[in-house]
């Protein structure tokens, strides 16, 4: 297996992007799942469709929409530029792309965890004097930990593989925005790059297996701790 | 405690119209499943919002649609004991017990954890997780947790329904002693007449989404005698039996009772169906039933074609049930004397 310094940068960048996207999305994912499970809202269907849309849309389409939104002429892009924040074609754009694409997976898992919580547990806590946010953090959050963790690892793994949306909003700049999939894409399109592509593929497999193993192990541990 | 409800709530095809004004410390809400009992509980606790109406606890308005008042559940200080204990699975017994206590304002913390833990015999369980507790232990912890929140009112929503019979009657003394010791008024919700008789002094009867009557457990038991599968249930607390020829001999006032299913030493609670008592006009010569009591008729009541005969056996009350034709044939009137025969095996021990 051979890795060039650029490959190492791509690996580090991939991990950094995936981790940032996951951490950034967690509070939002938790909040949205809570709204969907515990609140009666008008327009819940709309929220549901919006959250799940990235699951069915081609990532390239998402990337293009993000480009329109964050680009020079997009309202968010203008706003960000005014505050001195450049997003398009930086690693931050890759984080945003990964966050949007992986978000439905995160929400789905947290939601599954929350749906398994008996409503009467929340009602019990409220009648014992806990306000809604107290109940949210002392009952719902600890009892959704498995779902949160499963969602986070799924999202992390999905972000590592993000390609379509990333290449459009972050580009494929070696050393700056080139993540593992983009680097493999580069190698695969050059005639002499197949050995290098394979090496990076191997790295991808190793990281994915490690994430899945961690997912299994921690999942079991959480199961044990709640089964006490 | 005075509770005034005047509230409407529609839930899909079910609609509840609750109108009641009751005062007392031990109030029952009686009704079959699906009658709307739990909806009443949820309205009082603030877990469901009425479509319109008012709910008052003592003089405080908990909900009023006209005055736009809707006190959130945590501010009502009304704790609930659920049918399935609903202990927090991620917390230890101790943390469960203290959940409400920690959230209770210091000036309201009249009940201290130590005394309650002693009363409910929870000390050996404190550091355990809640998943491996038995059904009865879980319900004791749930009761302790609710009481330690120092509520103004305790809602017991079928707290015994998930337990088997023996366990049910083991928990009842805890429920009663806790509320008496700490003076917490309660609403006790159940579909069991026996539980109503043991736990309450006033009963709201809920049927098809309406509170149809406010009555006493005694009147309720009499009214339901004919339709209830076991008739009227006489409940007898007896203690310290003497074992004689394989039967337990108990003192009951100045009478003595022979019971097959007795238990040495401790106080036991027996249930005797009104249908298990056979009445004789004159003293029968020879009889296989082990108990024959001379009684005076103090009262008679009708229940759907059946006649309830309230008997006094040397001052101890017993209700027997006969059909109208038998009552006419025996020419029973208040004041007449009868002999009541009861088999030793007719008493079933609840505790």
């Amino acid at each position: 297996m051979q890795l060039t310094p650029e490959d190492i940068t791509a690996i580090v960048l991939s991990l950094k992007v995936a981790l940032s996207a996951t951490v950034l999305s967690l509070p939002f994912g938790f909040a949205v799942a809570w709204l969907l499970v515990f609140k009666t809202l008008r327009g819940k269907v709309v929220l549901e469709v919006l959250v799940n849309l990235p699951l069915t849309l081609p990532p390239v389409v998402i990337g293009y929409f993000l480009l329109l939104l964050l680009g020079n002429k997009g309202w968010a892009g203008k706003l960000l530029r005014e505050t001195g924040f450049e997003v398009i074609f930086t690693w931050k754009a890759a984080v945003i792309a990964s966050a949007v694409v992986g978000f439905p997976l995160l929400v789905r898992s947290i939601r599954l965890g929350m749906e398994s919580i008996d409503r009467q547990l929340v009602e019990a806590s409220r009648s014992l004097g806990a306000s809604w946010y107290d109940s949210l953090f002392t009952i719902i959050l600890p009892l959704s930990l498995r779902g949160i963790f499963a969602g986070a690892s799924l999202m992390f793994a999905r972000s590592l593989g993000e390609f379509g949306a990333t290449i459009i909003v972050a580009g494929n700049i070696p050393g700056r925005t080139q993540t593992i999939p983009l680097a493999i894409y580069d190698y695969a399109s050059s005639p002499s790059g197949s050995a290098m592509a394979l090496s990076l593929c191997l790295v991808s497999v190793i990281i994915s297996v490690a994430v899945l193993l961690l997912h299994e192990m921690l999942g079991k541990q959480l199961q044990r701790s709640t089964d006490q | 405690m005075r509770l005034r409800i005047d509230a409407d709530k529609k839930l899909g095809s079910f609609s509840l119209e609750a109108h009641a004004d009751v005062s007392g410390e031990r109030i029952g809400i009686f009704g079959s499943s699906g009658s709307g009992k739990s909806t009443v509980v949820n309205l009082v606790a603030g877990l469901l919002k009425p479509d319109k109406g008012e709910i008052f606890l003592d003089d405080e308005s908990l909900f009023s649609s006209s005055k736009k008042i809707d006190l959130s559940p945590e501010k009502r200080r009304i704790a609930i004991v659920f049918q399935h204990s609903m202990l927090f699975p991620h917390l230890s017994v101790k943390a469960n017990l203290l959940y409400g206590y920690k959230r209770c304002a210091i000036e309201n913390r009249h009940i201290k954890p130590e005394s309650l833990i002693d009363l409910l015999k929870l000390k050996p369980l404190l550091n355990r997780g809640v998943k491996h507790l038995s059904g009865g232990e879980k319900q004791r912890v749930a009761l302790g947790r609710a009481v330690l929140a120092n509520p103004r009112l305790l809602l017991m929503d079928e707290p015994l329904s998930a337990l088997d019979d023996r366990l049910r009657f083991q928990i009842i003394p805890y429920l009663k002693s806790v509320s008496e010791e700490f003076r917490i008024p309660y609403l006790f919700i159940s579909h069991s007449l026996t539980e109503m008789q043991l736990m309450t002094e006033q009963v709201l009867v809920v049927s098809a989404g309406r509170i149809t009557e406010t009555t006493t457990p005694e009147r309720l038991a009499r009214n339901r005698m004919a339709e209830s599968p076991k008739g009227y249930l006489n409940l007898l607390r007896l203690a310290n039996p003497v074992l004689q020829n394989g039967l337990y001999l108990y003192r009951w006032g100045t009478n003595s009772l022979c019971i097959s299913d007795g238990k040495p030493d401790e106080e036991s609670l027996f249930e005797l169906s009104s249908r298990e008592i056979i009445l004789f006009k004159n003293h029968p010569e020879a009889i296989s039933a082990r108990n024959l009591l001379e009684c005076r008729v103090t009262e008679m009541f009708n229940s759907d074609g059946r006649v309830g005969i309230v008997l006094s056996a040397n001052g101890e009350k017993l209700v027997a049930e006969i059909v109208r034709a038998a009552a006419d044939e025996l020419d029973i009137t208040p004041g007449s004397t009868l002999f009541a025969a009861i088999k030793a095996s007719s008493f079933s021990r609840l505790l």
Side-chain angles (χ1 to χ4, degrees):
Chain A
M1 191 166 81
Q2 43 178 335
L3 294 169
T4 63
E6 283 84 36
D7 292 346
I8 305 281
T9 318
I11 294 166
V12 172
L13 186 67
S14 276
L15 292 173
K16 181 168 133 183
V17 166
L19 192 67
S20 311
T22 307
V23 171
L24 199 74
S25 305
L26 267 177
F28 297 103
F30 181 70
V32 169
W34 175 72
L35 282 175
L36 289 174
V37 174
F38 285 97
K39 289 281 140 187
T40 36
L41 303 169
R42 223 176 270 174
K44 206 171 192 171
V45 184
V46 178
L47 180 64
E48 195 133 7
V49 168
L50 267 178
V51 167
N52 284 318
L53 203 56
L55 212 56
T56 46
L57 274 182
V60 177
V61 175
I62 297 168
Y64 192 70
F65 281 147
L66 283 176
L67 191 63
L68 291 180
L69 190 73
L70 300 168
N72 283 339
K73 290 178 187 153
W75 65 266
K78 274 186 199 154
L79 205 76
L80 284 168
R81 228 183 0 273
E82 276 167 26
T83 52
F85 219 65
E86 201 63 56
V87 172
I88 290 296
F89 301 124
T90 69
W91 73 278
K92 291 168 205 139
V95 171
I96 293 174
S98 293
V100 174
V101 172
F103 197 67
L105 295 173
L106 180 71
V107 173
R108 267 173 183 246
S109 294
I110 300 180
R111 200 175 155 175
L112 273 180
M114 278 184 184
E115 274 166 354
S116 67
I117 301 174
D118 196 314
R119 294 292 175 106
Q120 284 197 326
L121 287 173
V122 180
E123 296 179 348
S125 77
R126 296 296 306 275
S127 74
L128 290 167
S131 57
W132 68 267
Y133 52 86
D134 187 350
S135 181
L136 180 66
F137 288 112
T138 58
I139 306 297
I140 297 174
L141 178 65
L143 292 179
S144 333
L145 272 185
R146 279 183 67 198
I148 292 173
F149 184 71
S153 37
L154 266 181
M155 183 167 178
F156 182 80
R158 174 70 186 82
S159 301
L160 281 177
E162 215 316 288
F163 179 85
T166 310
I167 200 165
I168 291 191
V169 282
N172 187 359
I173 311 163
R176 278 185 59 201
T177 64
Q178 190 174 63
T179 56
I180 300 174
L182 298 173
I184 294 173
Y185 173 71
D186 262 6
Y187 281 133
S189 40
S190 81
S192 58
S194 65
M196 310 294 286
L198 260 177
S199 298
L200 273 180
C201 287
L202 195 64
V203 171
S204 264
V205 172
I206 292 169
I207 295 176
S208 297
V209 169
V211 170
L212 286 174
L213 280 178
L214 191 76
H215 172 88
E216 286 297 316
M217 268 163 50
L218 280 177
K220 283 215 175 92
Q221 207 161 15
L222 279 170
Q223 170 95 55
R224 265 202 300 277
S225 68
T226 47
D227 275 354
Q228 248 174 23
Chain B
M1 187 270 300
R2 181 177 179 201
L3 181 69
R4 276 176 288 161
I5 309 180
D6 188 8
D8 296 352
K9 177 77 192 170
K10 221 172 147 47
L11 288 166
S13 61
F14 175 80
S15 76
L16 178 92
E17 279 177 36
H19 307 284
D21 185 349
V22 275
S23 302
E25 303 302 296
R26 311 194 293 138
I27 294 164
I29 297 184
F30 177 82
S32 53
S33 63
S35 59
K37 303 187 298 283
S38 291
T39 312
V40 175
V41 169
N42 287 337
L43 291 179
V44 174
L47 300 172
L48 261 184
K49 191 176 164 183
D51 297 332
K52 64 178 187 338
E54 290 185 318
I55 302 172
F56 281 91
L57 180 60
D58 295 322
D59 291 324
E60 191 184 349
S61 173
L62 302 180
F63 179 85
S64 165
S65 52
S66 58
K67 289 182 195 148
K68 303 249 183 294
I69 297 172
D70 183 16
L71 220 56
S72 58
E74 68 270 21
K75 294 205 177 100
R76 295 194 181 195
R77 294 186 56 218
I78 296 176
I80 310 174
V81 182
F82 294 91
Q83 181 176 355
H84 302 281
S85 61
M86 288 301 142
L87 297 176
F88 304 130
H90 58 300
L91 300 177
S92 68
V93 168
K94 191 176 175 188
N96 264 283
L97 283 171
L98 296 179
Y99 191 90
Y101 186 75
K102 283 182 184 159
R103 286 163 177 80
C104 171
I106 291 168
E107 66 268 21
N108 291 327
R109 289 182 186 170
H110 308 299
I111 303 167
K112 298 288 176 219
E114 300 74 31
S115 51
L116 184 87
I117 288 165
D118 282 346
L119 188 71
L120 291 176
K121 303 196 180 87
L122 292 173
K123 205 155 206 169
L125 308 178
L126 284 183
N127 295 314
R128 304 235 313 249
V130 298
K131 288 234 170 121
H132 300 300
L133 299 178
S134 70
E137 287 169 338
K138 278 186 182 162
Q139 222 40 340
R140 259 153 62 206
V141 176
L143 173 66
R145 180 180 72 175
V147 169
L148 276 180
N150 286 270
R152 293 186 290 178
L153 173 66
L154 202 54
L155 298 178
M156 303 194 199
D157 190 3
E158 307 239 12
L160 307 170
S161 309
L163 304 174
D164 61 50
D165 265 359
R166 254 311 116 92
L167 218 48
R168 220 148 54 106
F169 296 102
Q170 277 173 15
I171 298 288
I172 283 183
Y174 287 111
L175 295 179
K176 282 184 88 168
S177 59
V178 162
S179 65
E180 274 162 24
E181 174 100 15
F182 301 113
R183 292 170 184 223
I184 309 172
Y186 60 75
L187 285 188
F188 186 88
I189 291 86
S190 175
H191 60 270
S192 150
L193 276 171
T194 315
E195 288 174 19
M196 283 294 141
Q197 277 176 281
L198 288 169
M199 290 296 297
T200 67
E201 55 197 15
Q202 264 203 85
V203 181
L204 301 176
V205 181
V206 182
S207 168
R210 308 265 183 288
I211 296 178
T212 49
E213 60 178 308
T214 307
T215 179
T216 62
E218 178 66 25
R219 277 211 302 272
L220 182 70
R222 289 183 182 191
N223 284 341
R224 310 267 152 154
M225 183 178 73
E227 68 187 62
S228 158
K230 290 197 219 162
Y232 179 100
L233 290 171
N234 294 285
L235 296 168
L236 290 79
R237 275 181 200 285
L238 304 169
N240 304 317
V242 182
L243 196 58
Q244 216 174 55
N245 303 327
L247 292 175
Y248 291 88
L249 200 63
Y250 281 93
R251 299 292 320 158
W252 184 44
T254 53
N255 314 292
S256 56
L257 288 175
C258 247
I259 294 177
S260 325
D261 184 23
K263 194 178 169 194
D265 306 324
E266 298 161 53
E267 186 187 73
S268 299
L269 177 68
F270 293 95
E271 182 183 87
L272 172 66
S273 158
S274 54
R275 293 179 193 156
E276 299 281 341
I277 303 170
I278 301 174
L279 299 177
F280 294 88
K281 183 96 182 156
N282 302 306
H283 191 293
E285 277 299 303
I287 184 171
S288 66
R290 287 298 82 202
N291 298 293
L292 189 66
L293 302 165
E294 187 175 350
C295 309
R296 201 169 48 78
V297 177
T298 55
E299 205 184 325
M300 294 168 72
F301 61 89
N302 280 311
S303 171
D304 226 0
R306 304 293 185 105
V307 182
I309 315 286
V310 186
L311 302 163
S312 164
N314 293 321
E316 301 298 328
K317 196 193 98 181
L318 208 56
V319 175
E321 175 184 348
I322 54 177
V323 290
R324 170 57 60 194
D328 294 341
E329 221 166 274
L330 290 170
D331 188 25
I332 302 173
T333 50
S336 52
T337 304
L338 291 172
F339 290 89
I342 311 160
K343 289 166 77 174
S345 58
S346 293
F347 295 88
S348 54
R349 184 161 56 85
L350 302 178
L351 185 64

